[in-house]
Amino acid sequence: MIRKVKLKFILISSFSMLLVLIIVLGVINGVSYFNSRVEIFSLMNRISENGGILPDHLEYHSIIGDVVLTEESRYTLRFFSAVVDSDGNVLEMDRGHIASISDVDAREYVSLASQRSSKEGFLYGKKDATFAYQKTELGNNTFLCVILDCTRQLHSMRQFMLVSVYIGLASMLLLLLILSFFSKKAVAPIARNIEKQKMFITNAGHELKTPLAIISANTEVLEMMEGKNEWTESTMEQVQRMSELVSRLITLSKLQEKDEVVLSNVNFSEVVEKVAAEFRVLAEKNQLQYTTEIARDKYVKADEAGLRELVSILVDNALKYCSEGGQVLINLDSSKLHGAVLSVSNTYPEQEGVDYSKFFDRFYRADESHNSEKKGFGIGLSMAQHFTEMFKGKIGVHYKNGMITFTVAFNAKKG
């Protein structure tokens, strides 16, 4: 159980950190990309406003403020411009600020930009080159097309994104190592409390057995001397109930101590059939309609004794809380999601405000006064849940049309 708590602590902490990293890195990279895009098109807008050539004073606005380029920038910026008519024909071209692009390639890029419906965007050229284009209306069915080589800027941005991802992954790995190292200390208080709780239940159980045995023996002596009466019978009944409660508490405590259980292929169908047959007499005695529908040869990975106890708890619970003269239905069948599904249903009077999921809580009783005539402790279904989790299955409960149904689903195995 402690291993599960440690694993859950590590998973929740890691997921929280991963979520924070994704948000932070996403925001940083998003802002970086947006800022780079604004810088590129703001610069191109200044060139377009100046008729396709660099203005004397290079200044443009980005999201981090006004940016002023130095005189040296005139020799590092690589762009060309062209005047194009409505049919895509190049009327004029200025390639004075770029040397690596031939006249043929330049006209090809202008043609590609002319065919685009958007006024600005990106073009991808040879050898992973990236160009930004911007089209400005000039009148007389002509427009100015400015194309800027932004390979360096976008490559730097991509490298920044890649480095940030690597840093994020390294941070997650480091976090996992740190969490794994300190998780034992983090869950230590919980582990101590659980251990104390187990010791208390076990010790209290053993301490209670002695006085219960003495009360039972003294009552038997009284019955031998004076005969049975309603007082001695009541005492013996309560001793039996207390002994059963102590036994179940100790069993539940031992179940929680088992981190790993050796599982084997068990014929689920045979187990359900045997348990159902054992309870049939009790159902008939209480004048209940008792129906079984059990598919043959359904195998599951489980511990046979534990699986038998699980089925017994569910059937006993159905008989105990079934409406007077009602119906109990035991069904074992297959499903699309799970191989073997056991459903135990019984007629049950609907109660307002009942949270059926709480039925698996220890000592939970729908009758909160605990004055119900039903002889239960509210601990059996908690044990059933523990058995199901040990066998890697799922347990649930639902209420429909006057019937309450407890369902246990396992992945079926071949016999």
Side-chain angles (χ1 to χ4, degrees), residues 322-352:
C322 185
S323 303
E324 187 175 349
Q327 179 184 10
V328 173
L329 173 61
I330 302 171
N331 178 278
L332 178 64
D333 208 343
S334 302
S335 76
K336 294 180 180 179
L337 297 178
H338 300 279
V341 178
L342 171 67
S343 299
V344 181
S345 309
N346 63 276
T347 49
Y348 187 75
E350 185 174 6
Q351 301 182 32
E352 294 183 2

Side-chain angles (χ1 to χ4, degrees), residues 208 212 237-247 377:
L208 285 170
L212 286 173
E237 182 180 343
Q238 294 306 316
V239 168
Q240 184 178 355
R241 279 173 54 82
M242 283 295 296
S243 299
E244 183 182 349
L245 174 59
V246 169
S247 177
F377 306 106

Side-chain angles (χ1 to χ4, degrees), residues 256-287:
Q256 292 176 329
E257 293 175 2
K258 296 180 180 180
D259 290 330
E260 295 293 336
V261 179
V262 178
L263 306 181
S264 59
N265 276 353
V266 179
N267 192 323
F268 199 11
S269 302
E270 289 185 359
V271 172
V272 175
E273 284 179 351
K274 289 178 181 178
V275 173
E278 291 171 358
F279 281 93
R280 183 175 292 279
V281 175
L282 181 60
E284 292 174 352
K285 179 182 177 182
N286 293 331
Q287 298 180 340

Side-chain angles (χ1 to χ4, degrees), residues 175-364:
L175 176 68
L176 282 173
L177 293 175
I178 294 173
L179 286 175
S180 299
F181 182 76
F182 287 106
S183 60
K184 188 174 182 180
K185 291 185 177 180
V187 301
I190 300 174
R192 284 196 297 270
N193 288 337
I194 292 174
E195 193 61 33
K196 288 179 180 179
Q197 184 185 55
K198 291 177 184 177
M199 289 179 62
F200 171 77
I201 292 174
T202 303
N203 293 337
H206 289 301
E207 290 296 327
L208 285 170
K209 283 182 178 181
T210 301
L212 286 173
I214 294 173
I215 293 172
S216 178
N218 290 343
T219 305
E220 289 177 358
V221 171
L222 286 175
E223 287 181 340
M224 292 172 61
M225 294 174 62
E226 301 180 7
K228 289 186 179 181
N229 55 58
E230 59 178 311
W231 309 113
T232 58
E233 287 181 356
S234 176
T235 301
M236 291 298 291
E237 182 180 343
Q238 294 306 316
V239 168
Q240 184 178 355
R241 279 173 54 82
M242 283 295 296
S243 299
E244 183 182 349
L245 174 59
V246 169
S247 177
R248 288 207 165 187
L249 281 173
I250 294 174
T251 301
L252 183 58
S253 178
K254 289 180 178 179
L255 281 177
Q256 292 176 329
E257 293 175 2
K258 296 180 180 180
D259 290 330
E260 295 293 336
V261 179
V262 178
L263 306 181
S264 59
N265 276 353
V266 179
N267 192 323
F268 199 11
S269 302
E270 289 185 359
V271 172
V272 175
E273 284 179 351
K274 289 178 181 178
V275 173
E278 291 171 358
F279 281 93
R280 183 175 292 279
V281 175
L282 181 60
E284 292 174 352
K285 179 182 177 182
N286 293 331
Q287 298 180 340
L288 301 176
Q289 184 180 345
Y290 194 71
T291 308
T292 59
E293 298 174 2
I294 304 170
R296 306 292 299 176
D297 296 326
K298 292 293 179 183
Y299 285 82
V300 298
K301 278 281 188 181
D303 169 70
E304 186 170 354
L307 188 63
R308 184 184 180 89
E309 181 67 18
L310 166 62
V311 179
S312 297
I313 289 171
L314 295 180
V315 177
D316 178 61
N317 183 79
L319 294 174
K320 190 178 296 179
Y321 292 97
C322 185
S323 303
E324 187 175 349
Q327 179 184 10
V328 173
L329 173 61
I330 302 171
N331 178 278
L332 178 64
D333 208 343
S334 302
S335 76
K336 294 180 180 179
L337 297 178
H338 300 279
V341 178
L342 171 67
S343 299
V344 181
S345 309
N346 63 276
T347 49
Y348 187 75
E350 185 174 6
Q351 301 182 32
E352 294 183 2
V354 174
D355 184 358
Y356 295 100
S357 64
K358 289 186 176 180
F359 279 25
F360 300 107
D361 294 346
R362 294 184 208 174
F363 301 107
Y364 177 81

Side-chain angles (χ1 to χ4, degrees), residues 81-98:
S81 61
V83 178
V84 187
D85 63 17
S86 58
D87 296 325
N89 299 313
V90 178
L91 304 180
E92 298 177 21
M93 182 175 288
D94 180 4
R95 295 193 301 111
H97 290 86
I98 195 165

